[in-house]
């Protein structure tokens, strides 16, 4: 199976390639990709150089252009697709049907993947995207169980890529406006969710409150770690209960499910975290590469390989196990 | 501009559901979209009543469409989606999954949960037969205006979210079931006691979101009452009103009077709050900094960051 690794910077890209990534995904430094954070992503010449470096080492590079183009301003997104082709990208990862139509028409030789932001969650729609836009691979939304992924693969020729490590979206991706409701910045339009610019920490009688957009969604005691206040992982009250009503502050780790995902016909394993440091990226990549190499060689999977990176942070296998729902 | 009533987002008993459409047949709305949007497990409870409701609404002169499910994952849901066309009325797609199942050449409408953010996607949907598109609620007025112009050029009517709790997110996980420590497959219909969803408060007790099974909505009821002139200027064809359990026919009357120039935005907003004293309003997605903002008088519970 192919390991698909994040790179938020040219240095991370090189680190991921050296650590054994089969494939890297990254984005341009503007609103065209869904990780539009300050100091992150690639300008055009960095992208060209990064792709040349990866290709020289036998790795592929995918460019995510997976926000939804703004009405009246689509040229920015069209230019990103054209530049991805010029830079030598192995594929573009797109979510917007209008942009897919544009890319298929104007850049027919540029391979197209369907972003998780398109939330294509069944074989009917995946096959439709393949028929209409000649999409070769789909990144599956994090709402599906392993048997459901196997059922999809049984009914489609389109390659599937699934998230195995990193942040966990608990809402169907590309269809969540929680962030723009509370902060005005949107994953779909601005490539931003629960942005740091709208976070406030307030101390009150020994407790530390975390607010997002003025809404207090987390509170910890003096010695407790304070998780970043992401809306869907916030602490809320409903009825007579208070707690993490949508999801706990956990991240995804499906390392132990890799053999099952392989049996389910998955082509590529995706690691989330373009905002992470290059040493983190290198370490995760090395571990996952070892795991799939062992699997390919018929050897047992290395156990607990990511324990160090997971220390102090709660992990879940998310929707891959049906009980999560 | 005219009025469209969108699909009920909540789980109501079959009697309440049918009674709602009987009342709606008498109300001054032009178009009604009905059916199950949020959770496929709810449909069997009122499915048998759907043909009668459609007939009643058509007899009353309403344009009627059936919605598809917003998130299709299971085989059963794919079958439900494919079978929609057999009902003999227009389909509103709420997930692109419904698109390949539509009868060839049939006109269809597009619900607000399909991501139509730009002209390219609007043009593509029009080429597939879309004749009406309700835009995603998070779009700002400037985008609405651009898309309404593209729609006018192509003969596609453009709607915007006019009233009701905003559909902010949908998930594979059922939050109502989770709250009751149940799984989605054994939910025992935990959402049926909350006809307008369950209030979700911040740690300071401030109303913020609303839980509705796999769906998450806003606490506030979006209202375009103060935006009617701007939306008219932008060329918007229709306002979408989203069903709620209290006073909905009166709410439809209020928006009708507003469109007819018989009352002001402030009067309508005030009348809506009189119908249900617990309602807080928002219209920030259109002209504010954030979706939760309100361009009218500041409701008491809105935060001031």
């Amino acid at each position: 199976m192919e390991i698909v690794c994040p790179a938020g910077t040219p240095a991370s890209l090189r680190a991921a390639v050296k650590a054994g990534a089969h494939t890297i995904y990254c984005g341009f430094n503007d609103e065209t990709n869904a990780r539009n954070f300050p100091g992150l992503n690639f300008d055009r010449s960095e992208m060209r150089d990064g792709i040349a470096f990866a290709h020289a080492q036998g790795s592929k590079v995918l460019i995510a252009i997976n926000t939804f183009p703004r009405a009246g301003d689509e040229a920015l997104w069209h230019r990103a697709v054209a530049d991805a082709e010029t830079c030598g990208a192995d594929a573009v990862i797109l979510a917007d049907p209008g942009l897919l139509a544009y890319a298929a028409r104007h850049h027919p030789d540029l391979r197209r993947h369907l972003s998780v932001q398109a939330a294509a969650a069944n074989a009917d729609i995946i096959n439709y995207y393949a028929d209409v836009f000649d999409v070769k691979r789909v990144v599956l939304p994090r709402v599906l169980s392993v048997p459901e992924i196997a059922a999809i693969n049984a009914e489609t020729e389109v390659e599937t890529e699934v998230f195995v490590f990193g942040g966990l979206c608990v809402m169907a991706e590309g269809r969540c406006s929680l962030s723009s409701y509370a902060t005005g910045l949107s994953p779909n339009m601005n490539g931003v969710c629960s942005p740091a610019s709208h976070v406030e920490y307030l101390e009150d009688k020994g407790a530390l409150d975390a607010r997002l957009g003025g809404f207090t969604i987390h509170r910890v005691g003096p010695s407790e770690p304070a998780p970043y206040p992401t809306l869907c992982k916030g602490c809320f009250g409903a009825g007579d209960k208070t707690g993490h009503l949508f999801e706990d502050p956990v991240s995804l780790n499906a390392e132990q499910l890799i053999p099952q995902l392989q049996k389910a016909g998955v082509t590529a394993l995706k690691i989330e975290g373009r905002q992470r440091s290059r040493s983190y990226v290198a370490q995760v990549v090395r571990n996952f590469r070892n795991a799939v190499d062992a699997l390919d060689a018929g050897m047992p999977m290395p156990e607990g390989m990511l324990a160090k990176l997971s220390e102090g942070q709660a992990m879940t296998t998310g929707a891959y196990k049906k009980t999560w729902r | 501009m005219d009025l469209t009533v969108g699909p009920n987002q909540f789980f109501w008993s079959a009697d309440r559901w049918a009674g709602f459409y009987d009342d709606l047949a008498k109300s001054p709305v032009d178009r009604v979209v009905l059916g199950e949007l949020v959770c496929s497990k709810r449909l069997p409870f009122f499915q048998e009543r759907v043909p009668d409701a459609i007939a009643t609404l058509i007899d009353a002169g309403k344009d009627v469409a059936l919605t598809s499910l917003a998130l299709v994952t299971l085989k059963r849901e794919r079958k439900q989606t494919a079978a929609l066309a057999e009902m003999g009325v227009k389909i509103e797609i709420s997930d692109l999954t419904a698109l390949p199942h539509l009868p060839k050449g049939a006109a269809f409408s597009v619900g607000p949960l399909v991501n139509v953010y730009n002209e390219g996607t609007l043009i593509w949907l029009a080429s597939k037969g879309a004749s009406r598109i309700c835009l995603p609620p998070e779009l700002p007025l400037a985008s609405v205006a651009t898309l309404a112009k593209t729609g006018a050029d192509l003969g596609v009517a453009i709607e915007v979210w006019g009233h009701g709790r905003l559909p902010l997110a949908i998930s594979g996980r059922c939050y109502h079931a989770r709250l009751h420590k149940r799984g989605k497959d054994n939910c025992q219909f935990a959402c049926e006691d909350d006809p307008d969803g369950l209030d979700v408060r911040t740690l300071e007790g401030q109303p913020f979101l609303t839980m509705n099974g796999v769906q998450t909505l806003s606490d506030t009821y979006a209202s375009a009452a103060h935006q009617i002139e701007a939306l008219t200027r932008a060329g918007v064809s229709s306002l979408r009103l989203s069903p709620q359990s209290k006073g909905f026919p009166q709410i439809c009357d209020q928006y009708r009077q507003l469109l007819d120039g018989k009352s002001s935005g402030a009067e309508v907003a005030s009348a809506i709050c009189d119908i249900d004293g617990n309602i807080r309003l928002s219209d920030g997605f259109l002209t504010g900094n954030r979706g939760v903002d309100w361009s009218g008088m500041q409701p008491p519970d809105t935060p001031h960051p």
Side-chain angles (χ1 to χ4, degrees):
Chain A
M1 273 188 294
E2 181 180 324
I3 304 290
V4 182
C5 309
T9 61
S12 285
L13 181 144
R14 283 192 293 274
V17 168
K18 285 181 192 159
H22 299 110
T23 303
I24 318 291
Y25 69 98
C26 46
F28 292 120
N29 51 358
D30 56 30
E31 297 160 86
T32 62
N33 88 87
R35 281 291 180 280
N36 178 28
F37 296 133
L40 222 58
N41 301 316
F42 293 61
D43 66 26
R44 266 49 177 183
S45 78
E46 288 168 340
M47 188 65 87
R48 205 174 42 241
D49 294 349
I51 291 173
F53 176 83
H55 284 173
Q57 310 288 318
S59 298
K60 290 185 283 187
V61 177
L62 316 176
I63 300 184
I65 308 172
N66 58 347
T67 49
F68 294 84
R70 187 168 39 249
D73 220 357
E74 290 174 289
L76 179 67
W77 281 261
H78 293 171
R79 202 159 56 237
V81 174
D83 290 348
E85 186 165 51
T86 311
C87 289
D90 294 279
V92 282
I93 309 171
L94 310 176
D96 181 63
L99 192 60
L100 279 155
Y102 175 87
R105 187 167 172 195
H106 296 278
H107 305 278
D109 298 331
L110 180 59
R111 186 179 152 104
R112 288 172 290 284
H113 291 184
L114 191 66
S115 167
V116 71
Q117 292 290 108
N122 64 74
D124 294 335
I125 186 60
I126 292 167
N127 287 330
Y128 185 66
Y129 274 110
D131 289 346
V132 178
F133 301 123
D134 197 20
V135 160
K136 299 293 189 199
R137 181 183 292 182
V138 54
V139 186
L140 294 176
R142 282 163 274 193
V143 298
L144 297 167
S145 67
V146 176
E148 284 164 2
I149 292 169
I152 286 174
N153 279 319
E155 289 189 61
T156 182
E157 295 296 311
V158 179
E159 296 174 1
T160 53
E161 179 172 312
V162 303
F163 284 90
V164 288
F165 195 77
L168 175 69
C169 257
V170 298
M171 306 302 181
E173 290 97 335
R175 306 181 78 178
C176 178
S177 318
L178 288 171
S179 179
S180 73
Y181 180 69
T183 73
L185 290 173
S186 147
N188 288 357
M189 298 191 292
N190 311 106
V192 173
C193 172
S194 305
S197 53
H198 289 65
V199 174
E200 278 178 297
Y201 289 98
L202 296 169
E203 260 194 273
D204 182 29
K205 296 173 199 138
L208 185 67
D209 282 357
R211 283 184 169 191
L212 187 79
F215 297 98
T216 303
I217 62 169
H218 221 274
R219 179 171 294 160
V220 291
S223 55
E224 293 174 79
Y228 185 85
T230 306
L231 279 165
C232 56
K233 293 169 193 114
C235 198
F236 302 101
D240 56 2
K241 299 191 177 88
T242 299
H244 296 280
L245 301 183
F246 302 104
E247 179 57 290
D248 301 309
V250 291
S251 57
L252 177 71
N253 183 1
E255 54 172 302
Q256 292 309 313
L257 297 179
I258 293 174
Q260 286 161 259
L261 292 167
Q262 187 183 43
K263 273 197 205 107
V266 167
T267 298
L269 303 176
K270 183 164 199 151
I271 296 161
E272 190 272 348
R274 277 188 276 163
Q275 69 281 27
R276 298 294 203 145
S277 72
R278 64 183 164 177
S279 64
Y280 170 94
V281 167
Q283 215 172 333
V284 176
V285 169
R286 210 170 290 125
N287 282 296
F288 273 93
R289 179 67 194 261
N290 285 344
V292 295
D293 285 353
L295 203 62
D296 284 347
M299 310 271 284
M301 284 264 298
E303 260 181 53
M305 56 186 180
L306 295 163
K308 249 196 240 162
L309 291 168
S310 320
E311 213 170 330
Q313 197 177 15
M315 292 280 174
T316 175
T317 52
Y320 295 133
K321 290 191 178 155
K322 213 174 165 189
T323 46
W324 180 85
R325 298 201 290 230
Chain B
M1 205 182 310
D2 62 24
L3 295 173
T4 302
V5 175
N8 173 36
Q9 305 186 92
F10 307 101
F11 187 28
W12 295 352
S13 71
D15 285 342
R16 179 177 219 158
W17 187 93
F20 178 84
Y21 290 104
D22 284 342
D23 290 344
L24 207 54
K26 297 169 215 133
S27 80
V29 300
D30 304 278
R31 199 170 299 101
V32 179
V33 186
L34 46 73
E36 184 53 47
L37 173 72
V38 175
C39 176
S40 60
K41 290 176 75 174
R42 297 169 174 178
L43 186 60
F45 288 88
F46 65 89
Q47 196 162 18
E48 285 179 9
R49 313 285 281 269
V50 174
D52 280 351
I54 292 174
T56 304
L57 291 164
I58 289 176
D59 285 348
K62 314 297 182 196
D63 188 7
V64 179
L66 264 179
T67 180
S68 75
L69 271 178
L71 181 65
V72 179
T73 57
L74 309 173
K75 195 148 211 163
R76 159 168 61 85
E77 295 168 349
R78 290 163 65 195
K79 280 190 184 151
Q80 267 177 24
T81 306
L84 280 175
E86 292 161 19
M87 296 291 291
V89 288
K90 198 185 264 187
I91 307 301
E92 173 160 300
I93 62 166
S94 293
D95 180 308
L96 291 181
T97 300
L99 203 46
H101 296 300
L102 296 178
K104 270 243 163 344
F108 63 92
S109 60
V110 178
L113 301 183
V114 175
N115 286 345
V116 185
Y117 282 89
N118 53 65
E119 304 93 307
T121 295
L122 196 162
I123 292 164
W124 178 74
L125 282 166
S127 78
K128 299 291 172 196
S131 59
R132 167 174 296 275
I133 295 176
C134 182
L135 299 177
E138 76 166 350
L139 280 179
L141 190 57
S143 294
V144 170
T146 302
L147 292 170
K149 189 176 177 312
T150 306
D153 293 344
L154 296 168
V156 176
I158 297 298
E159 279 181 27
V160 300
W161 193 264
H163 176 88
R165 287 195 149 152
L166 291 156
L168 296 178
I170 191 146
S171 174
R173 174 181 260 184
C174 177
Y175 301 113
H176 250 103
R178 188 168 188 256
L179 188 73
H180 290 84
K181 298 200 182 330
R182 297 170 198 156
K184 186 179 174 185
D185 292 343
N186 179 35
C187 68
Q188 298 168 47
F189 301 97
C191 58
E192 73 182 339
D193 295 332
D194 301 309
D196 295 291
L198 179 64
D199 295 345
V200 173
R201 303 174 304 270
T202 67
L203 289 176
E204 292 179 318
Q206 185 180 44
F208 181 30
L209 300 172
T210 299
M211 182 183 286
N212 177 35
V214 294
Q215 186 187 35
T216 306
L217 300 144
S218 61
D219 163 72
T220 58
Y221 285 69
S223 170
H226 287 293
Q227 312 286 346
I228 291 297
E229 284 173 24
L231 292 172
T232 305
R233 271 198 307 276
V236 168
S237 302
S238 189
L239 269 196
R240 172 161 297 220
L241 313 178
S242 186
Q244 64 185 67
S245 70
K246 287 185 197 154
F248 196 69
Q250 293 95 295
I251 284 172
C252 295
D253 288 341
Q254 286 298 325
Y255 283 98
R256 182 77 263 163
Q257 288 182 33
L258 181 63
L259 295 184
D260 291 348
K262 291 178 184 157
S263 65
S264 70
E267 284 165 342
V268 167
S270 155
I272 290 168
C273 293
D274 286 345
I275 289 166
D276 181 346
N278 292 318
I279 278 186
R280 288 160 290 276
L281 300 178
S282 65
D283 59 7
F285 278 139
L286 284 170
T287 56
N289 290 323
R290 315 171 297 162
V292 66
D293 292 340
W294 172 236
S295 62
M297 251 174 41
Q298 204 66 34
D301 286 317
T302 300
H304 304 276

